[in-house]
């Protein structure tokens, strides 16, 4: 078994990002709820839910910015200063590898369709955001449910960070594993770490479609690799599946 000193700085940073992301999603809503109490007298307390969700979303956004700045500084410190005598030489053109293979695109499309179909069957083939908002709601109820949608949208960024950090943790923990199964184990461990986060998230939010959304977390893991870990595209796909 590898000793702590054998792990790289990137590994410990990934552990930190995973832990920070998990704790942010776990505890920031409590702070959002406390801040919302400051507005409890507004509209006779009928907007407490909206302020709670929006405050949580804003706090998450701040935490994401702080985390991004810290990681950028750490990355800059690790990069050695390179002074090239050939600086005036033309830079070779980089090959664009952002385009996904057709096979990946087809699988991603199938995953997305299956996820949307599963949840659609459960809600009577309604459009998910409208189902979440509900029918015959008052103005304050509408604000509360819009606040939940905003919170879930920001949460999708945390899900991507969980995936990224879990992938790096799994890759380094299992780097010495030999045999045919070695190339699949990091995917499995990444999925397990992501599911751990998903279980907490779904239990805390008391999601009525627990097993369906747990399956979505498996889909997020598959999409992450099929998307070749591209941050923007992966996050947007997670957002689409989670909300729709």
């Amino acid at each position: 078994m590898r000793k702590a000193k054998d792990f790289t700085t990137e590994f410990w940073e990934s552990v930190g990002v995973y832990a920070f992301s998990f704790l942010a999603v776990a505890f920031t809503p409590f702070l959002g709820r406390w801040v919302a109490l400051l507005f409890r007298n507004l509209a006779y307390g009928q907007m407490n839910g909206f302020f709670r969700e929006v405050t949580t979303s804003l706090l998450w956004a701040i935490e994401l910015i702080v985390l991004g700045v810290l990681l950028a500084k750490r990355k800059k410190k690790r990069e050695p200063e390179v002074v090239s005598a050939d600086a005036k030489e033309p830079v070779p053109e980089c090959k664009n590898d952002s385009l996904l293979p057709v096979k990946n695109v087809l699988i991603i499309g199938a995953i997305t369709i299956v996820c949307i179909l599963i949840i659609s069957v459960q809600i009577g083939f309604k459009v998910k955001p409208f189902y979440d908002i509900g029918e015959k709601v008052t103005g304050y109820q509408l604000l509360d449910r819009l606040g939940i949608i905003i919170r879930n949208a920001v949460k999708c960024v945390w899900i991507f960070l969980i995936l990224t950090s879990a992938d790096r943790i799994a890759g380094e923990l299992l780097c010495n594993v030999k045999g045919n199964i070695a190339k699949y184990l990091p995917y499995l461990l990444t999925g397990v770490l992501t599911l751990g986060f998903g279980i907490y998230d779904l239990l805390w939010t008391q999601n009525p479609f627990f097993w369906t959304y747990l399956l979505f977390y498996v889909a997020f893991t598959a999409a992450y690799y099929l998307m070749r870990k591209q941050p923007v595209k992966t996050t947007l796909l997670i957002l689409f599946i989670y909300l729709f």
Side-chain angles (χ1 to χ4, degrees), residues 90-155:
V91 178
E93 184 178 352
C94 296
K95 185 178 179 181
N96 184 3
D97 59 352
S98 62
L99 295 178
L100 300 174
V102 175
K103 178 182 176 181
N104 289 35
V105 174
L106 292 176
I107 297 174
I108 291 168
I111 290 173
T112 305
I113 291 172
V114 169
C115 289
I116 293 176
L117 183 60
I118 290 174
I119 195 67
S120 295
V121 170
Q122 292 178 291
I123 63 176
F125 293 97
K126 296 178 182 178
V127 179
K128 183 66 167 50
F130 292 114
Y131 174 84
D132 290 335
I133 292 173
E135 299 176 356
K136 298 180 180 180
V137 295
T138 65
Y140 294 124
Q141 290 174 328
L142 177 62
L143 284 176
D144 286 351
R145 293 170 190 180
L146 285 176
I148 293 173
I149 291 175
I150 293 171
R151 182 200 65 196
N152 287 336
V154 180
K155 187 194 299 178

Side-chain angles (χ1 to χ4, degrees), residues 28-237:
T28 301
F30 290 103
L31 183 57
R33 179 176 296 180
W34 180 79
V35 174
L37 292 177
L38 300 176
F39 304 94
R40 61 182 178 273
N41 294 325
L42 188 63
Y44 300 100
Q46 296 185 75
M47 295 183 69
N48 279 3
F50 174 74
F51 284 120
R52 180 182 65 246
E53 305 300 350
V54 171
T55 301
T56 299
S57 300
L58 289 174
L59 290 172
W60 275 347
I62 294 170
E63 289 164 353
L64 285 167
I65 292 171
V66 171
L67 180 61
V69 170
L70 291 176
L71 290 176
K73 287 184 176 180
R74 291 284 298 176
K75 183 178 180 181
K76 191 174 181 180
K77 283 183 179 180
R78 290 199 308 269
E79 290 177 349
E81 295 183 3
V82 179
V83 180
S84 175
D86 301 322
K88 295 183 179 179
E89 291 185 2
V91 178
E93 184 178 352
C94 296
K95 185 178 179 181
N96 184 3
D97 59 352
S98 62
L99 295 178
L100 300 174
V102 175
K103 178 182 176 181
N104 289 35
V105 174
L106 292 176
I107 297 174
I108 291 168
I111 290 173
T112 305
I113 291 172
V114 169
C115 289
I116 293 176
L117 183 60
I118 290 174
I119 195 67
S120 295
V121 170
Q122 292 178 291
I123 63 176
F125 293 97
K126 296 178 182 178
V127 179
K128 183 66 167 50
F130 292 114
Y131 174 84
D132 290 335
I133 292 173
E135 299 176 356
K136 298 180 180 180
V137 295
T138 65
Y140 294 124
Q141 290 174 328
L142 177 62
L143 284 176
D144 286 351
R145 293 170 190 180
L146 285 176
I148 293 173
I149 291 175
I150 293 171
R151 182 200 65 196
N152 287 336
V154 180
K155 187 194 299 178
C156 290
V157 182
W158 288 117
I159 294 174
F160 176 78
L161 288 177
I162 286 287
L163 280 165
T164 303
S165 54
D167 171 59
R168 292 173 180 168
I169 292 170
E172 191 152 344
L173 281 176
L174 302 171
C175 66
N176 291 330
V177 178
K178 307 296 182 182
N180 295 330
I181 198 173
K183 62 181 180 180
Y184 301 108
L185 284 179
Y187 302 147
L188 179 61
L189 182 54
T190 299
V192 170
L193 290 172
T194 305
L195 276 177
F197 171 82
I199 290 171
Y200 175 84
D201 170 40
L202 298 174
L203 288 175
W204 164 250
T205 57
Q206 298 180 337
N207 194 304
F209 305 108
F210 179 88
W211 294 108
T212 300
Y213 274 81
L214 198 61
L215 177 64
F216 286 179
Y217 274 94
V218 177
F220 297 156
T221 305
Y224 173 73
Y225 289 111
L226 289 167
M227 283 284 192
R228 292 182 171 178
K229 310 177 186 181
Q230 296 180 22
V232 176
K233 291 180 180 179
T234 305
T235 304
L236 288 176
L237 182 63

